[in-house]
Amino acid sequence: MPCYNESAGICTTVKTVNAKLEALIKAGRIADNSCMLLADDGSRDNTWSLIEELHTEYPRLKASALAGNRGKEYALFAGLMEGKELADIVICMDADLQHDINAIDTFLDKRAEGYELLYGLKSSRGKEPFIRKITAKLFYRVMGMLGSPVLKGHSDYSLMTKQVLEALSEYGESNMMFRALLRHTGFKQAPVYFEVQEREQGESKMSMSRLLGLSINAITSFSVAPLRLIAYLGLIIFFISLFMVGWVVVDYFRIGTPNGWATLTCSLWFLGGLLMVSLGIVGEYIGKMYMETKKRPRYFISKRLR
């Protein structure tokens, strides 16, 4: 479970997950030495201090702390790489318990059927602001049009075998979209539907600006369709310009002087705006190439509790 500034609810989370682990062990569904692993994404509150206290109370609790705030995708990836060394099967979920913990039973049932990768799909989005629901629908629709492996209602709630995690560790890119990377591995996979639970404590750390950044990263990391769209728009505008040139020539010989200054002005504004947007899209890809060529480490682990 990646966590960032979760001091308000981390105690409840650890208690709830620990009880679930004990129940699964008692039922013989998971190994006796199963554990929970928290990946602290450089929290600025006392989340890590609470984790250290909880570690003495709950033997099944393990934790890793990233050196600084790297973002949820990096914290999630770091936790999975740590978990790869501890377990045969890893389930990742949010630390706010909005991912229905009882869906773990379904994950294990599907795993028993031979699936190596199971990804959680939200059957409903729960109590979310109206604007966020609208933007989420728009995001998934755009991603589908661009051919991205991200599905409608896709979440980070997933089950992976050690083999999947080994494959995931081979991906060297800095700009990660975890959900898309998982499906891209190609292992035998299936969805698991779950109900989003109401957040009881604390508040979401995913602001609209962070969600927008994640959306842009998801689109540009797995699709070159925006670049192709620029080429198509350029071709369309080229043919429109040929028509406009012909219209101006005919108008010149018909009335002597060309008119339509409003049309000309609107065209200039339109083309200028289109050029700026096109440069922005190209710049986004160039920026990603620039960051990838640096080959900087994605994260560092500063502390571990084992």
Side-chain angles (χ1 to χ4, degrees):
M1 296 175 284
C3 51
Y4 175 69
N5 292 349
E6 294 287 353
S7 58
I10 195 67
C11 295
T12 302
T13 295
V14 170
K15 181 180 179 180
T16 304
V17 175
N18 188 75
K20 183 63 177 178
L21 285 174
E22 296 291 351
L24 290 170
I25 291 170
K26 187 176 181 180
R29 306 207 64 189
I30 58 177
D32 293 340
N33 61 341
S34 297
C35 63
M36 69 184 101
L37 172 66
L38 296 174
D40 181 48
D41 186 23
S43 295
R44 293 182 172 86
D45 60 4
N46 63 331
T47 297
W48 183 253
S49 299
L50 290 172
I51 291 174
E52 289 180 318
E53 293 176 10
L54 291 165
H55 177 64
T56 61
E57 183 179 353
Y58 295 94
R60 297 192 183 282
L61 173 62
K62 304 180 189 300
S64 300
L66 274 66
N69 178 237
R70 302 293 295 165
K72 183 182 179 182
E73 297 293 306
Y74 289 99
L76 189 55
F77 187 82
L80 290 173
M81 293 303 101
E82 295 278 292
K84 177 170 65 73
E85 308 302 325
L86 300 172
D88 303 310
I89 294 173
V90 174
I91 293 177
C92 63
M93 60 184 292
D94 288 349
D96 56 15
L97 295 181
Q98 286 195 286
H99 290 164
D100 184 9
I101 195 171
N102 293 316
I104 291 178
D105 296 270
T106 308
F107 277 109
L108 295 175
D109 290 339
K110 299 289 284 185
R111 167 58 190 153
E113 296 175 15
Y115 290 102
E116 300 165 291
L117 168 62
L118 298 161
Y119 46 87
L121 297 182
K122 302 173 183 177
S123 55
S124 70
R125 299 193 63 87
K127 294 183 179 180
E128 271 189 332
F130 178 74
I131 185 65
R132 183 164 292 188
K133 289 185 177 181
I134 294 297
T135 53
K137 288 182 179 180
L138 179 62
F139 167 73
Y140 288 119
R141 181 166 296 181
V142 171
M143 291 296 287
M145 292 170 58
L146 297 179
S148 170
V150 176
L151 301 173
K152 182 180 179 182
H154 211 155
S155 72
D156 294 329
Y157 200 5
S158 310
L159 178 148
M160 292 144 282
T161 64
K162 191 180 184 71
Q163 189 178 10
V164 174
L165 292 173
E166 292 286 358
L168 193 63
S169 68
E170 296 294 323
Y171 287 84
E173 59 221 60
S174 299
N175 298 281
M176 295 186 299
M177 179 61 176
F178 170 71
R179 289 166 250 178
L181 282 181
L182 270 185
R183 296 202 64 221
H184 190 264
T185 58
F187 288 91
K188 186 178 180 181
Q189 53 194 261
V192 170
Y193 293 90
F194 70 96
E195 294 281 343
V196 176
Q197 305 299 298
E198 186 176 354
R199 190 184 181 105
E200 296 181 4
Q201 295 172 312
E203 58 184 14
S204 175
K205 309 303 183 300
M206 292 298 289
S207 62
M208 287 301 296
S209 60
R210 286 195 176 191
L211 287 172
L212 179 61
L214 185 63
S215 301
I216 293 174
N217 189 40
I219 292 171
T220 54
S221 294
F222 277 88
S223 176
V224 294
L227 294 175
R228 291 174 181 167
L229 180 61
I230 292 174
Y232 294 147
L233 284 174
L235 191 63
I236 292 171
I237 292 173
F238 171 73
F239 285 114
I240 292 176
S241 67
L242 292 179
F243 171 78
M244 292 297 293
V245 168
W247 177 73
V248 169
V249 170
V250 170
D251 205 32
Y252 175 79
F253 286 105
R254 187 169 61 87
I255 62 175
T257 56
N259 56 7
W261 293 108
T263 304
L264 180 60
T265 303
C266 290
S267 299
L268 288 173
W269 278 99
F270 172 73
L271 290 173
L274 184 61
L275 284 172
M276 294 299 291
V277 171
S278 301
L279 285 173
I281 293 174
V282 174
E284 186 70 28
Y285 281 92
I286 293 175
K288 277 186 166 46
M289 292 168 60
Y290 171 68
M291 295 305 296
E292 294 292 346
T293 55
K294 288 177 177 291
K295 299 294 182 182
R296 289 176 175 172
R298 284 175 287 201
Y299 60 86
F300 293 103
I301 301 295
S302 62
K303 301 174 184 176
R304 286 184 175 91
L305 297 176
R306 295 288 185 266

